[in-house]
Amino acid sequence: AGFGTNSEVVVLGWDPADTHTTNFWEELASVELSGAGNELASGTFTAKKYLWIQAYIKGDGSTTPNLRVQVNGDTGSNYAERQSSNGASDGTGTSQDHFPASNGGKFGNFVNMFVINNASNEKLFMVHGNSVDTAGAGTSPDRREIVGKWANTSNQITSIRIYKTAGGQYQSGSLIKVWGSD
């Protein structure tokens, strides 16, 4: 038993005695909507081995938008996912043209994605989403855990979009940020 060739473990931490001025994560893209829209798109960014994507989707407060993820403009049936909402039983989707990013909340959605982005392997995503469907402290937010993959084994991810096909538009102030590292 053991790890296969080219397996690795990356441990990120903080050393209070360290005096270097560089960060593991380099910002690759940052896009904020200045008006309502149907998608958040990163634009093209430099390919990196590891990606960290954060998105905040501000809802209009009346309609729940869905949040779907595609990379590199690929609209083919090259995505698969397993997800759970609020700790419920897993659901799966295979041979899809996207995978989901969050439950979709009328008031807001916050999504964190971590991606291993090797060109010769399927790209694996870990996604944690938090959404608010009812404003105020009297209602707890919803959570969604998703693992997804993009079944491309010849290209690295160099763009990402979170788009909607139903529900309210993403409001001004919605944003997507992408960081990367090799």
Side-chain angles (χ1 to χ4, degrees), residues 110-121:
F110 179 68
V111 179
N112 253 317
M113 296 183 225
F114 291 94
V115 184
I116 183 73
N117 193 28
N118 291 325
S120 60
N121 299 103

Side-chain angles (χ1 to χ4, degrees), residues 17-70:
D18 193 351
T19 59
H20 80 279
T21 58
T22 59
N23 191 333
F24 178 81
W25 295 110
E26 171 189 353
E27 187 174 298
L28 305 175
S30 180
V31 176
E32 182 173 342
L33 292 182
S34 58
N38 293 327
E39 73 175 33
L40 282 171
S42 67
T44 302
F45 52 81
T46 303
K48 296 288 183 179
K49 184 176 183 181
Y50 304 102
L51 297 176
W52 173 22
I53 301 134
Q54 287 189 323
Y56 170 67
I57 292 90
K58 184 176 178 181
D60 64 11
S62 64
T63 308
T64 302
N66 60 28
L67 285 76
R68 296 180 172 195
V69 176
Q70 289 178 333

